[in-house]
Amino acid sequence: MDIILLGPPGAGKGTQAQRLVDRRGMVQLSTGDMLRAAVKAGTPVGLKAKAVMEAGELVSDAIVSALIGEHLDQSAGKGAIFDGFPRTQHQAEALDILLGERGRALSHVIELGVDEEALVERITGRFTCATCSAPYHDRFKPTKVEGTCDVCGGHEFKRRPDDNEQTVRTRMAEYRAKTAPILPYYEERGLVSRVDGMASVEEVAAQIDRILDSAR
Ligand code: AP5
């Protein structure tokens, strides 16, 4: 089963993808994570992507489609969760070709419906442990002891450079202008289901489970 989680920044795509990895053994393919890894490693792709990501704009279709092509076979036989990809019509068409070449096809596109203002708070408050990557949030999920990771006891934390309010608003504008318009491409094929992304993490997960378990 190959699925897309679609929604604006902070909608919960990464959170729900991780749950599907843990519970169903699917493989998360996040172009954001791939790009951040490339930036950290200082690869040619990372050098090109860094400033674009920090501005909240979209990295080129050619770069992200190539990244997905490189990683897609990791999900063979397990099912892929596309998280943050596709983000443009060109990427959507590239994904169909990449899957088709492997005799695969999308089974679901799940749109996380959200309130953008609430998302700004969700994103600007999030941080992770620099040692074990455990996720936290200033308001919704602070550490039990201030300055100490609940999981590994580490004392260093990090925030994404693109998680400031100005960049988040640019990322949302990019979503409205370039990503939301690809929905009809999938609606025509009867692939789209919507969930309430403002519900609790558990409730969103339950809605997604119902969709994936329903016979199409
Ligand atoms: P990317 O990494 O994909 O970021 P994004 O789409 O902006 O999404 P986020 O990771 O910010 O949010 P999310 O929906 O995964 O939410 P999360 O689960 O983390 O992309 C970053 C950049 O890379 C882009 O701006 C672009 O430059 C580039 N890029 C990436 N892919 C590209 C592509 N295909 N084409 C071109 N450029 C590309 O949750 C957010 C917070 O909310 C967390 O704190 C979480 O704990 C909390 N939360 C989640 N669900 C809930 C809930 N139900 N209730 C309460 N809190 C919740």
Side-chain angles (χ1 to χ4, degrees), residues 126-188:
R126 73 178 166 185
F127 61 99
T128 53
C129 172
T131 309
C132 73
S133 300
Y136 295 99
H137 191 282
D138 293 327
R139 186 162 153 224
F140 305 124
K141 196 185 168 199
T143 53
K144 288 180 186 136
V145 176
E146 198 180 336
T148 304
C149 175
D150 300 351
V151 179
C152 75
H155 296 296
E156 282 190 37
F157 297 89
K158 57 182 183 182
R159 291 176 192 262
R160 274 171 47 179
D162 60 344
D163 274 354
N164 61 82
E165 181 168 348
Q166 189 186 348
T167 307
V168 169
R169 293 206 183 273
T170 304
R171 286 158 60 194
M172 286 178 173
E174 289 281 76
Y175 180 82
R176 280 194 300 274
K178 296 174 186 165
T179 307
I182 68 178
L183 269 165
Y185 179 70
Y186 294 120
E187 279 164 343
E188 279 167 15

Side-chain angles (χ1 to χ4, degrees), residues 34 38 43 46 56 87 111 118 121 125 134 140 144 159 187 213:
M34 293 171 198
T43 65
R87 267 175 150 94
E111 184 194 10
E121 185 181 16
F140 305 124
K144 288 180 186 136
R159 291 176 192 262
E187 279 164 343
D213 292 337

Side-chain angles (χ1 to χ4, degrees), residues 108-111 183-194 216:
H108 298 276
V109 176
I110 299 178
E111 184 194 10
L183 269 165
Y185 179 70
Y186 294 120
E187 279 164 343
E188 279 167 15
R189 287 149 60 185
L191 291 174
V192 179
S193 304
R194 291 192 174 76
R216 183 166 286 285

Side-chain angles (χ1 to χ4, degrees), residues 9-10 12-15 31 36 57 84 87 91 126 160 171 199:
K13 305 181 294 293
T15 303
T31 40
R36 279 184 287 280
E57 292 162 6
R87 267 175 150 94
Q91 292 177 23
R126 73 178 166 185
R160 274 171 47 179
R171 286 158 60 194

Side-chain angles (χ1 to χ4, degrees), residues 7-16 30-33 35-36 49 52-54 56-61 64 83-88 91 112 122-123 125-127 135-137 140-141 160 162-163 167 171 196-202 204:
K13 305 181 294 293
T15 303
Q16 295 301 331
S30 159
T31 40
D33 287 349
L35 289 166
R36 279 184 287 280
V52 180
M53 293 173 78
E54 286 179 4
E57 292 162 6
L58 293 188
V59 174
S60 81
D61 289 336
V64 292
D83 162 9
F85 181 91
R87 267 175 150 94
T88 64
Q91 292 177 23
L112 295 146
R122 266 197 199 176
I123 297 179
R126 73 178 166 185
F127 61 99
Y136 295 99
H137 191 282
F140 305 124
K141 196 185 168 199
R160 274 171 47 179
D162 60 344
D163 274 354
T167 307
R171 286 158 60 194
D196 175 12
M198 298 313 295
S200 68
V201 170
E202 291 71 26
V204 177

Side-chain angles (χ1 to χ4, degrees), residues 5 35 39 50 58 73 75 79 94 97 106 111 119 146 149 180 184 186 195 200 208-209 213:
L5 294 181
L35 289 166
V39 170
K50 186 171 187 288
L58 293 188
D73 290 336
S75 60
I97 292 169
L106 288 168
E111 184 194 10
L119 293 193
E146 198 180 336
C149 175
Y186 294 120
V195 300
S200 68
I208 292 174
D209 280 339
D213 292 337

